[in-house]
Amino acid sequence: MNFDAIKEYLLSKPEAQETYPFDDKTAVFKVQNKMFALLITRQGQPLLNLKCDPLDARELRDIFEEVIPAYHMNKRHWNSIILDGNLPIGEVQRQIDHSYALVVKGMKKSVREGLEVRYGSDVIYQA
């Protein structure tokens, strides 16, 4: 899965926005100004940083060698996926969905409920 396909999937999430707050190469994906993904290239290797439940984060690292503690993030709550094509696309999408849902779940009730009204309860129940 290439950067463009990853970006397309990230931007398909309700109210997702792509920003470049750090530099012109580090894509940060947000919902309601809260980051749920970061897409970068580090030492020539494409990485996707995603928020994750701490227990799941460790388990995913044990299961998939492409999932590692997140580069430049809180390693308890974030994983990096090495985008080398070895992790099945369905698993990458599942982890994106989980990250997005965790961020939405953590929003103020009024903001979260607004997203649910506009897009359905699925926005938070994928976590």
Side-chain angles (χ1 to χ4, degrees), residues 8 11 15 42 46 51 84 88 92 103 109 114 118-119 122:
E8 184 177 324
L11 290 170
E15 297 187 20
R42 180 171 179 259
K51 190 166 180 118
D84 60 4
V92 174
V103 170
K109 184 178 180 181
R118 290 189 298 279
Y119 303 100
D122 287 349

Side-chain angles (χ1 to χ4, degrees), residues 14-95:
E15 297 187 20
Q17 295 181 318
E18 181 179 0
T19 65
Y20 290 83
F22 307 118
D23 58 39
D24 62 348
K25 295 178 182 165
T26 305
V28 176
F29 295 84
K30 298 179 178 182
V31 56
Q32 293 288 318
N33 290 316
K34 302 284 185 190
M35 181 172 62
F36 71 94
L38 186 128
L39 190 57
I40 59 172
T41 299
R42 180 171 179 259
Q43 298 175 348
Q45 183 69 61
L47 294 177
L48 174 64
N49 287 3
L50 297 170
K51 190 166 180 118
C52 193
D53 175 84
L55 295 176
D56 291 342
R58 295 185 66 97
E59 188 174 305
L60 289 167
R61 293 173 202 161
D62 290 342
I63 295 170
F64 302 109
E65 69 180 54
E66 298 84 10
V67 179
I68 59 175
Y71 171 71
H72 236 316
M73 308 280 282
N74 180 325
K75 290 156 182 26
R76 184 166 186 258
H77 295 276
W78 290 82
N79 278 339
S80 286
I81 298 175
I82 301 168
L83 298 174
D84 60 4
N86 290 324
L87 192 64
I89 183 59
E91 180 59 26
V92 174
Q93 291 173 337
R94 189 195 68 76
Q95 290 185 42

